[in-house]
């Protein structure tokens, strides 16, 4: 037989009270629980994030866009004179005429120029090397046919010694016919990569001329370019440039006559640049107006500086 021990009345009362308290707690009763329910937590105060202040980029004016187009066309036209210079030096060994040397390694197929300063292109001095994948030349080098690859050549001003631009890549194929009166060049060039200044990169493609000459009058070279068309890009814009009438430089590196037609991709009409002694006339283009400019014009000089920054 089991013996059931009886609880005292005081202990029963205590257990009943404890059970009631637990029940109230589970049901959300009680003073503190009510206070918490009636006063929900206040979220923390946060400071608003101020967005960074940005200054909108001002697009170029129509006049500035025309000057930028002229700059790209004019600089690339000058750069193409280097193509003719490299054609003339291909396969040669010895003095460059006004200073420096050129040397050709037939086994390696490499032409090296060291401070090469020529009578035909007296305004620049050339240093660097390029590969020659094909070369045909007669004994006196009056006729030279060459295929030039991967040029790496620095071009500096003969007057100041300042770097004008660096040719870093490309392909050139063409012929040079020389005589006592001068030199005649025909060429095609593509993928020419040229850096002007520290960060201005140009690519010249699909360039071709069948009639570029350098003749000497009174001992001074006169360069004339005709039948020349090419495309130039600076990574932001692309232009097609056409020599519409012969560009002639008489004893200076600025034309005294000639006409370039410059078509910017996306433009509504072409920009025409007509050269005269010490001046250029721009017509058409973004502004649709005709305006003469001296080479010393502040806006033109600023555009030329921006083109080789």
């Amino acid at each position: 037989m089991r013996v059931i021990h009886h609880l005292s009345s005081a202990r029963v009362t205590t257990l009943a009270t404890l059970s009631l308290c637990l029940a109230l707690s589970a049901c959300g009763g009680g003073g503190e629980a009510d206070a918490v329910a009636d006063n929900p937590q206040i979220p923390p105060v946060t400071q608003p994030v101020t967005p960074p202040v940005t200054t909108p980029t001002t697009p170029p004016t129509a006049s500035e866009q025309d000057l930028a187009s002229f700059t790209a066309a004019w600089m690339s036209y000058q750069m193409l004179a280097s193509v003719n210079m490299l054609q003339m030096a291909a396969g040669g060994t010895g003095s460059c005429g006004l200073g420096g040397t050129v040397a050709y390694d037939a086994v390696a197929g490499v032409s090296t120029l060291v401070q090469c300063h020529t009578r035909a292109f007296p305004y620049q001095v050339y240093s660097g090397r390029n590969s020659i994948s094909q070369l045909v030349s007669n004994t006196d080098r009056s006729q030279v046919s060459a295929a030039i690859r991967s040029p790496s050549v620095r071009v500096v001003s003969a007057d100041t010694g300042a770097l004008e631009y660096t040719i870093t890549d490309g392909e050139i194929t063409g012929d040079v016919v020389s005589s006592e009166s001068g030199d005649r060049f025909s060429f095609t060039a593509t993928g020419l990569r040229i850096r002007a200044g520290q960060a201005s990169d140009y690519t010249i493609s699909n360039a071709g001329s069948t009639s570029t000459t350098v003749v000497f009058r009174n001992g001074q070279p006169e360069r004339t370019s005709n039948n020349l068309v090419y495309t130039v890009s600076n990574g932001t814009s692309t232009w097609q440039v056409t020599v519409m009438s012969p560009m002639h430089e008489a004893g200076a590196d600025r034309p005294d006559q000639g006409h370039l037609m410059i078509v910017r991709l996306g433009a509504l009409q072409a920009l025409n640049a007509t050269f005269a002694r010490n001046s250029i006339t721009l017509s058409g283009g973004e502004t649709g107006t005709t305006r003469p400019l001296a080479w010393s014009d502040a806006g033109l000089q600023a555009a030329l500086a921006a083109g080789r920054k």
Side-chain angles (χ1 to χ4, degrees), residues 204-220:
I204 300 176
S205 302
N206 305 318
S209 174
T210 58
S211 181
T212 295
T213 61
V214 175
V215 299
F216 290 89
R217 291 188 173 88
N218 300 320
Q220 295 294 322

Side-chain angles (χ1 to χ4, degrees), residues 16-303:
T17 302
L18 180 60
S19 299
L20 178 60
C21 290
L22 291 173
L24 287 174
S25 177
C27 294
E32 288 187 9
D34 289 341
V36 172
D38 293 339
N39 296 281
Q41 289 186 346
I42 299 172
V45 177
T46 59
Q47 296 295 328
V49 177
T50 304
V53 178
T54 59
T55 302
T57 302
T58 303
T61 65
S63 178
E64 290 171 339
Q65 184 62 68
D66 281 347
L67 288 175
S69 294
F70 172 77
T71 294
W74 169 241
M75 290 182 63
S76 53
Y77 174 79
Q78 286 187 304
M79 291 168 181
L80 285 174
S82 300
V83 168
N84 302 142
M85 164 60 192
L86 294 180
Q87 284 183 273
M88 188 172 64
T93 295
S95 171
C96 290
L98 297 180
T101 60
V102 59
Y104 176 57
D105 184 337
V107 175
V110 173
S111 180
T112 302
L113 300 96
V114 179
Q115 299 293 313
C116 188
H117 191 193
T118 66
R119 293 177 60 243
F121 301 95
Y123 310 108
Q124 287 86 28
V125 178
Y126 295 78
S127 296
R129 57 168 41 196
N130 54 72
S131 298
I132 299 179
S133 60
Q134 179 181 348
L135 178 67
V136 178
S137 173
N138 56 6
T139 304
D140 62 359
R141 290 183 52 78
S142 61
Q143 296 185 19
V144 177
S145 177
I148 301 168
R149 302 288 183 268
S150 305
S152 178
V153 178
R154 288 169 51 87
V155 182
V156 304
S157 168
D159 291 332
T160 67
L163 177 66
E164 293 191 354
Y165 50 87
T166 303
I167 307 171
T168 61
D169 201 3
E171 298 183 2
I172 304 163
T173 303
D175 305 301
V176 184
V177 177
S178 301
S179 64
E180 292 183 359
S181 61
D183 307 288
R184 179 179 295 273
F185 303 85
S186 62
F187 68 90
T188 60
T190 190
L192 286 177
R193 297 186 182 276
I194 301 174
R195 168 162 287 192
Q198 296 297 317
S200 297
D201 294 311
Y202 295 87
T203 300
I204 300 176
S205 302
N206 305 318
S209 174
T210 58
S211 181
T212 295
T213 61
V214 175
V215 299
F216 290 89
R217 291 188 173 88
N218 300 320
Q220 295 294 322
E222 297 188 9
R223 177 180 174 229
T224 302
S225 296
N226 200 10
N227 299 323
L228 173 60
V229 180
Y230 60 92
T231 300
V232 58
S233 174
N234 64 0
T236 301
S237 298
T238 300
W239 299 266
Q240 184 179 59
V241 184
T242 306
V243 175
M244 299 300 293
S245 65
M247 296 279 288
H248 179 255
E249 301 165 14
D253 58 352
R254 292 175 179 172
D256 58 3
Q257 65 182 50
H259 175 194
L260 294 178
M261 183 175 71
I262 308 157
V263 180
R264 183 177 67 84
L265 184 64
L268 296 179
Q269 63 175 325
L271 174 68
N272 294 284
T274 303
F275 294 84
R277 191 175 299 277
N278 299 322
S279 68
I280 315 112
T281 298
L282 300 181
S283 59
E286 310 288 335
T287 64
T289 62
T290 298
R291 54 207 180 281
L293 293 171
W295 282 101
S296 59
D297 178 84
L300 175 58
Q301 288 300 313

